[in-house]
Amino acid sequence: LNFTTLLYTIKFELHHYISTSRRTMKCLIVLSAFLSATYALSCNEGTNSSNTVADTCSDGDETECRGPKWTAYTGYTAVVPFDCGNCTDIPDCEDCTGDNCNAPMNVTIYGCYNWTYEDSAWMQSEETTTCKITGDEKMLCNAPDRFVAESGDYTLMLDGCGPCNATQKTAKNCLECDS
């Protein structure tokens, strides 16, 4: 193999590589433009958490989804529909970015008792309060320590759902249990 042949071979291979790269780059640019023009955000839409459906937002410029705010132990705070768009001027609404980011949470429902102080004694309600949690919260109820707490020593938290007030728990006026 002489020097001239070697140079010719390198030039040919280099030219082939550059032309292939240019074609590949042109294809990638066209594909990127097509994908960016056709992408539309998908959000869950519906009036409440039990009847939502994932759907593509009709406005191709939409960047956010919205839904009702979640509060541990009480559930969704308001009747805000799950929809495309942000929460500007909508109370108790949360917005998020990303496809179907407003999906309803998987909720666990359990019951806790409500407590009242009557005739110098703590009385437990006959019916339980409905408590709601997701996988991020612990199943907890709060109750007065009936042998220690006086009327002013315990404040019912979330109708008996969830943890005790930290100060009342430290003072041993509030007990926590798992149902």
Side-chain angles (χ1 to χ4, degrees):
L1 192 64
N2 66 27
F3 185 71
T4 308
T5 308
L6 180 63
L7 283 177
Y8 180 75
T9 304
I10 291 172
K11 179 181 172 188
F12 177 76
E13 291 296 325
L14 188 59
H15 177 71
H16 177 70
Y17 174 74
I18 291 172
S19 66
T20 303
S21 295
R22 284 184 183 156
R23 274 186 267 144
T24 303
M25 186 58 96
K26 286 178 186 176
C27 287
L28 288 174
I29 291 170
V30 169
L31 182 62
S32 296
F34 175 74
L35 289 176
S36 66
T38 60
Y39 174 77
L41 184 68
S42 179
C43 295
N44 283 279
E45 297 177 347
T47 55
N48 61 51
S49 62
S50 63
N51 73 348
T52 64
V53 126
D55 199 6
T56 303
C57 299
S58 57
D59 180 359
D61 294 333
E62 201 61 67
T63 60
E64 295 176 295
C65 302
R66 68 174 168 244
K69 182 182 263 183
W70 172 263
T71 301
Y73 303 105
T74 58
Y76 288 110
T77 57
V79 183
V80 173
F82 291 83
D83 206 354
C84 298
N86 63 33
C87 290
T88 305
D89 299 326
I90 302 173
D92 295 324
C93 179
E94 287 185 335
D95 47 31
C96 57
T97 57
D99 279 336
N100 301 314
C101 61
N102 66 337
M105 299 193 184
N106 292 323
V107 177
T108 300
I109 296 176
Y110 68 100
C112 292
Y113 290 99
N114 202 331
W115 293 86
T116 56
Y117 195 75
E118 298 173 10
D119 300 323
S120 299
W122 285 103
M123 305 298 287
Q124 175 181 303
S125 62
E126 290 184 29
E127 300 293 322
T128 59
T129 301
T130 300
C131 307
K132 301 173 183 177
I133 60 171
T134 66
D136 296 335
E137 298 101 18
K138 285 184 168 182
M139 187 181 293
L140 287 174
C141 298
N142 65 81
D145 184 337
R146 294 169 297 290
F147 303 108
V148 177
E150 297 292 324
S151 173
D153 296 337
Y154 168 76
T155 303
L156 182 69
M157 303 292 294
L158 302 171
D159 291 329
C161 300
C164 292
N165 170 295
T167 304
Q168 292 176 3
K169 184 176 179 181
T170 302
K172 300 189 187 306
N173 292 322
C174 183
L175 302 173
E176 292 175 354
C177 61
D178 59 8
S179 63

